[in-house]
Amino acid sequence: MTYKTILTVLTSKDTAETPLSQTAALAETFGGHAEALCLGVDRTQTVYYYAGANAMVLQETMSRAKEDAGALKSFADDYLQKAGIQFSTDAGIAQIADMGRHVARLARFSDLVVLGQPYGPGKGVEAEPVVESALFEGRTPVLVVPEQAKPVGQPKTILIAWNESIEAMTSIRKALPFLTAADLARIVVIDPPQHGPERSDPGGMLAQMLARHGVKCEIDVLSKTLPRVSDILIRHAADTDADMIVMGAYGHSRFREAILGGATRNMLEKATVPVFMAH
């Protein structure tokens, strides 16, 4: 398994460079093809449209979205051409309520989707549904790249957030191209359960499985010294100079994560290194 089709979805020129640079780095490392879907976002079905607005308002909004998509495509074409990799770009208009269909259509035929961080200053309301559409409707692993992170073709040290969940195992299997080429994979277990098959050897069976793939593993068993698991992982990534975090996405329902917060949402908001996740 490798990543031969690497997709990124762009909705704003202001935040396009980070995912583009990461996509280009991965396409070069894996000898893959980079795809950029450049979407002009038509927000007329949300807070930007009011009852009684005439056709000129709608036309103006559509024209603005079309111009945004064209500008994004030109930016992506120039950037990827200078990177010297195989690439293709496509432009279109999408309403927020219908974005999932457009993103999922291409994500299904991609090996990996690279996206910018969906939360933080300058992020549009469409950033979050793009991530969720790739994960849930596209059923594709997603690499979320923070704005301050440097593009990494092949991470040397990878943190694996292991909690024995199906989501975590799914992410680990889909991250094998990264894991097998890394210098070290650190399996991080936070407050392992006192009862269960792994109580005497937390992370041991996973380490054994990965070792048979040639992955060099170490197991870090940590106490939950901070309220949020995501904060512990982020701190440990900094302490160990990790280049990437691999974790399962949305172990709870998306609604519960959105209302109460959760490891996935907090990680997407605060991560300082790229986060690889699948559901």
Side-chain angles (χ1 to χ4, degrees), residues 78-117:
D78 291 342
Y79 193 99
L80 295 174
Q81 188 170 11
K82 290 176 182 177
I85 57 172
Q86 295 183 2
F87 76 92
S88 59
T89 60
D90 191 15
I93 298 174
Q95 295 176 321
I96 291 179
D98 193 39
M99 289 189 66
R101 179 170 60 89
H102 298 280
V103 174
R105 180 177 60 86
L106 287 181
R108 287 192 191 103
F109 299 99
S110 303
D111 299 312
L112 180 65
V113 180
V114 178
L115 300 171
Q117 222 164 1

Side-chain angles (χ1 to χ4, degrees), residues 19-245:
L20 275 175
S21 62
Q22 181 63 68
T23 301
L26 293 176
E28 182 176 4
T29 297
F30 292 100
H33 183 96
E35 291 188 349
L37 175 60
C38 307
L39 292 177
V41 182
D42 172 16
R43 300 178 174 85
T44 53
Q45 287 191 350
T46 55
V47 297
Y48 288 80
Y49 174 64
Y50 54 92
N54 58 33
M56 291 185 64
V57 174
L58 296 176
Q59 183 60 45
E60 180 182 353
T61 305
M62 295 287 286
S63 298
R64 188 183 304 117
K66 187 175 181 180
E67 290 174 4
D68 290 344
L72 269 172
K73 187 178 186 303
S74 296
F75 181 78
D77 283 333
D78 291 342
Y79 193 99
L80 295 174
Q81 188 170 11
K82 290 176 182 177
I85 57 172
Q86 295 183 2
F87 76 92
S88 59
T89 60
D90 191 15
I93 298 174
Q95 295 176 321
I96 291 179
D98 193 39
M99 289 189 66
R101 179 170 60 89
H102 298 280
V103 174
R105 180 177 60 86
L106 287 181
R108 287 192 191 103
F109 299 99
S110 303
D111 299 312
L112 180 65
V113 180
V114 178
L115 300 171
Q117 222 164 1
Y119 307 108
K123 305 296 183 180
V125 294
E126 69 277 359
E128 183 180 42
V130 167
V131 173
E132 294 191 348
S133 296
L135 280 171
F136 290 91
E137 282 74 45
R139 294 292 176 179
T140 310
V142 172
L143 184 67
V144 176
V145 188
E147 288 296 328
Q148 68 272 26
K150 295 181 180 179
V152 178
Q154 173 54 56
K156 294 182 179 180
T157 301
I158 301 176
L159 247 60
I160 300 174
W162 179 236
N163 61 357
E164 303 182 35
S165 69
I166 294 173
E167 291 80 12
M169 183 57 80
T170 300
S171 293
I172 292 164
R173 292 187 192 280
K174 293 184 177 181
L176 276 174
F178 286 124
L179 295 171
T180 53
D183 292 342
L184 178 64
R186 309 186 73 98
I187 300 171
V188 181
V189 183
I190 300 173
D191 273 0
Q194 296 180 356
H195 306 283
E198 291 196 357
R199 64 186 182 278
S200 60
D201 185 20
M205 294 183 69
L206 175 61
Q208 183 182 68
M209 185 197 85
L210 292 176
R212 288 171 178 163
H213 283 277
V215 180
K216 305 173 188 68
C217 300
E218 289 185 6
I219 300 174
D220 299 335
V221 179
L222 307 178
S223 298
K224 191 177 179 184
T225 55
L226 296 172
R228 293 176 174 174
V229 169
S230 56
D231 291 335
I232 299 172
L233 292 171
I234 291 169
R235 185 180 65 181
H236 196 58
D239 292 343
T240 57
D241 291 325
D243 306 300
M244 180 183 292
I245 297 173

